[in-house]
Amino acid sequence: MINNFPLKKLVLVAGLCLPVFAYAQEAPKTKPNWQNLDLKTDSVFGISTEKAYNELLKGKKHVTVLVAVIDGGIDVDHEDLKKVIWNNPKETAGNKKDDDKNGYTDDIHGWDFIGSAKGDVHYDNLELTRLIRIDNARFANVDSTKLTGKDLSDFKAYGVMKADMDKQVAKAQKTYGVINKFNTLLDGVLAKLGSQNPSLDDIKKFEPKDNSEAYVKRVLLSALPEFKNVTDFREKEVNGGLTHYKEQLDYHLNLNFNSRDTVGDNYNDANERFYGNNDVTGPDADHGTHVAGIIGAVRDNNIGIMGVANDVAIMSVRTVPTGDERDKDVANAIRYATANGAKVINMSFGKSYSYNKKAVDEAVKFALSKDVLLVHAAGNDNNNTEVELNVPNRTYEDKSGMANAWIEVGASGPKDDETLRASFSNYGKTSVDVFAPGVAINSTTPKSTYAEHDGTSMAAPVVTGLAALIRSYYPKLTALQVKEIIMKSVVKISHDVTIKDGDTKKEVPFADLCVSGGVVNAYNALQLAATY
């Protein structure tokens, strides 16, 4: 699942009837392009990309590296991306023929595994919802006292999943109601102010008549430094929250909603490869476009932003809806990207349950056999993924081993202090490999716009861009060598950072959060690569 609205600023606190808004701690003001800057010279904990270009790479030869972005779609016409979008050299655009005989007609810029001639899937369930739908039919008329063996263990797992879903539905319903209540109170205050977009002075002069109005005034005063104006705050924060939770209730957690008919495949056949369409943008390309820009937005065109890598071709493999991606589609996306020449694959998505991890594992093994490096986002749930499942992951379900050319990425912030681990980022001493910038990252968004997003979804493409940069300047290095270089060249963190365990905050060594114990660094990595 990709989270376009992580709700890190708007927080529902148990027992309160209004949302709590907290801005300054969660949305630090950062320098433009901070993820590529240097801690020593720029005072932000970027990965020293600019330093590497200035001091190590000038005049050096490089080759184009094909990077696949498995995501929700990419705006291939974006002003800062169109020059780096992959064009399939073996395919003729628009002739409705499979010129390269790879099974995918007119796959000029990639492929869409969640579409068909009928259109594209926009919303889907959580995997949890889909699993419960299957088990509801399986256990509908079963006497559980007569179950034994695997049937009994499956029934117990079903009960746990149902409890999880009930909890999520209750939270979504409650939070939607809370935000809606705030929205109503906000309407009342703005009506009294006589403007939908009052000035800061107007808000300061407003005299509340009760505690609710006083609360709205406090929120507006605290919000305005972080938003352009009240209208901007309302659109992004309040309406964004309402949309987020309505989508959860209408689609993600709705047992009666199933969008798979749009695709028209035989969903139960995990070996089916050839379905979908060539619409690599889809109905909501915000997340994928943002990811693509972090990796390789054109660096020397004096517009927009600068990606990490300066010589990539970006392939869009549309696989992730608003909701949880499906294992069959992920497996086929990995296979498609690999078969068509990708050397690095970015996967900024994840979920807590899996329907057919074996299919994904087999596709991962295929990618590794072709010397592909896979980069995956660790997730945004503030979880220890040694304990809480986040899939896909590198551990094979059949216990046959692990994917070695796989990098799991947590998100870091701009300050070298206790807040270095982004407050939302998952972590794990053995399950997460490295951290990379993932807070307030400015990148490309559809229709040639730009926006700041937070998430491990943003941290993973920083590492993907670095991997592509290394493979571009040192093309003889294998995927395993590139991973080894990235891991060995991190900036080690010797101080403690804050994690939240339930309602308790505690300080832990950063070295306990990931295998490498550090934040990736392009300058160090390229210096090390030169010695291989």
Side-chain angles (χ1 to χ4, degrees), residues 261-493:
D261 286 348
T262 301
V263 178
D265 64 324
N266 177 7
Y267 183 61
N268 293 320
D269 182 4
N271 295 316
E272 185 181 10
R273 302 270 185 264
F274 306 112
Y275 58 94
N277 64 34
N278 70 342
D279 179 5
V280 298
T281 299
D284 185 1
D286 184 87
H287 190 273
T289 304
H290 201 271
V291 165
I294 294 169
I295 296 168
V298 180
R299 294 182 58 84
D300 58 0
N301 59 358
N302 295 317
I303 59 172
I305 64 159
M306 291 187 287
V308 176
N310 67 339
D311 194 354
V312 291
I314 295 177
M315 172 197 293
S316 175
V317 192
R318 186 170 179 270
T319 308
V320 188
T322 303
D324 276 351
E325 62 282 355
R326 296 181 183 237
D327 295 333
K328 174 182 177 179
D329 301 331
V330 171
N332 282 328
I334 293 171
R335 288 180 180 279
Y336 174 88
T338 299
N340 286 280
K343 301 311 293 180
V344 187
I345 297 177
N346 189 89
M347 300 185 292
S348 287
F349 56 82
K351 55 188 179 180
S352 300
Y353 295 88
S354 181
Y355 172 66
N356 190 351
K357 190 173 188 301
K358 180 182 177 182
V360 179
D361 290 345
E362 292 302 316
V364 168
K365 291 175 184 178
F366 173 66
L368 300 188
S369 75
K370 302 297 183 182
D371 193 36
V372 176
L373 180 65
L374 298 111
V375 182
H376 183 246
N380 302 333
D381 301 307
N382 185 36
N383 284 338
N384 181 349
T385 53
E386 291 182 319
V387 179
E388 303 289 341
L389 186 66
N390 182 53
V391 286
N393 57 36
R394 60 166 150 251
T395 303
Y396 299 136
E397 189 177 51
D398 64 4
K399 297 181 172 51
S400 63
M402 294 186 179
N404 46 19
W406 177 295
I407 304 180
E408 192 78 6
V409 186
S412 56
K415 295 182 179 180
D416 187 21
D417 59 17
E418 71 279 359
T419 69
L420 182 61
R421 181 195 73 96
S423 61
F424 52 81
S425 180
N426 287 352
Y427 55 90
K429 191 169 185 177
T430 61
S431 55
V432 174
D433 291 305
V434 296
F435 276 71
V439 175
I441 305 297
N442 187 43
S443 186
T444 47
T445 46
K447 297 183 179 179
S448 295
T449 58
Y450 304 85
E452 287 186 359
H453 287 341
D454 307 328
T456 57
S457 283
M458 286 59 253
V462 170
V463 177
T464 295
L466 174 55
L469 183 61
I470 295 168
R471 299 202 89 165
S472 177
Y473 282 83
Y474 299 94
K476 292 183 180 180
L477 293 175
T478 65
L480 273 174
Q481 287 175 318
V482 173
K483 177 184 176 179
E484 182 179 63
I485 287 166
I486 290 172
M487 296 281 287
K488 285 184 175 181
S489 61
V490 299
V491 176
K492 297 276 188 178
I493 309 302

Side-chain angles (χ1 to χ4, degrees), residues 22-279:
Y23 297 100
Q25 297 156 342
E26 293 291 350
K29 294 296 184 183
T30 57
K31 295 181 179 180
N33 194 41
W34 80 264
Q35 69 272 18
N36 289 314
L37 301 184
D38 179 75
L39 179 60
K40 185 176 181 180
T41 59
D42 303 303
S43 301
V44 286
F45 212 139
I47 70 164
S48 307
T49 316
E50 306 307 331
K51 181 180 178 182
Y53 279 114
N54 291 332
E55 297 183 17
L56 301 177
L57 300 180
K58 282 185 177 178
K60 287 191 175 247
K61 292 182 179 179
H62 47 89
V63 300
T64 302
V65 175
L66 180 54
V67 177
V69 174
I70 300 177
D71 214 288
I74 297 174
D75 179 0
V76 296
D77 294 318
H78 194 288
E79 64 180 9
D80 214 9
L81 289 175
K82 57 187 176 183
K83 288 185 179 179
V84 296
I85 297 297
W86 177 62
N87 287 287
N88 185 346
K90 299 177 182 177
E91 196 77 13
T92 301
N95 68 354
K96 298 183 180 180
K97 294 180 180 179
D98 181 15
D99 300 294
D100 57 5
K101 302 295 189 293
N102 68 351
Y104 303 96
T105 300
D106 283 343
D107 57 327
I108 302 300
H109 304 304
W111 196 249
D112 173 15
F113 282 102
I114 51 174
S116 71
K118 296 179 183 178
D120 297 305
V121 172
H122 187 180
Y123 300 101
D124 206 338
N125 306 128
L126 297 186
E127 190 69 78
L128 172 65
T129 307
R130 297 192 288 258
L131 290 172
I132 289 176
R133 184 187 295 126
I134 293 169
D135 282 350
N136 277 348
R138 179 181 174 188
F139 296 116
N141 300 306
V142 169
D143 181 354
S144 61
T145 63
K146 296 181 179 179
L147 295 176
T148 59
K150 187 176 185 302
D151 288 336
L152 180 59
S153 63
D154 287 352
F155 181 79
K156 289 179 178 179
Y158 167 57
V160 172
M161 288 192 299
K162 280 195 71 174
D164 186 4
M165 184 173 178
D166 289 343
K167 182 180 178 181
Q168 290 192 46
V169 169
K171 179 183 176 182
Q173 289 172 335
K174 182 178 181 179
T175 311
Y176 182 85
V178 162
I179 302 171
N180 202 36
K181 180 177 180 179
F182 174 81
N183 202 27
T184 301
L185 293 173
L186 180 58
D187 277 334
V189 169
L190 294 179
K192 287 188 177 183
L193 285 167
S195 171
Q196 291 299 302
N197 198 25
S199 68
L200 186 60
D201 284 341
D202 290 337
I203 298 169
K204 288 178 178 178
K205 292 174 184 176
F206 175 68
E207 296 184 6
K209 300 301 182 184
D210 54 34
N211 289 336
S212 294
E213 289 185 356
Y215 170 73
V216 173
K217 179 178 178 178
R218 288 198 305 272
V219 169
L220 292 178
L221 290 176
S222 67
L224 284 187
E226 299 297 331
F227 296 88
K228 296 175 184 177
N229 48 44
V230 173
T231 301
D232 186 45
F233 158 73
R234 189 169 201 175
E235 178 61 31
K236 292 177 180 176
E237 201 74 345
V238 182
N239 293 342
L242 290 172
T243 298
H244 174 80
Y245 285 106
K246 191 172 190 302
E247 286 177 357
Q248 284 200 342
L249 294 168
D250 289 350
Y251 306 114
H252 303 168
L253 296 165
N254 184 355
L255 287 166
N256 296 316
F257 175 76
N258 187 348
S259 62
R260 195 63 183 189
D261 286 348
T262 301
V263 178
D265 64 324
N266 177 7
Y267 183 61
N268 293 320
D269 182 4
N271 295 316
E272 185 181 10
R273 302 270 185 264
F274 306 112
Y275 58 94
N277 64 34
N278 70 342
D279 179 5

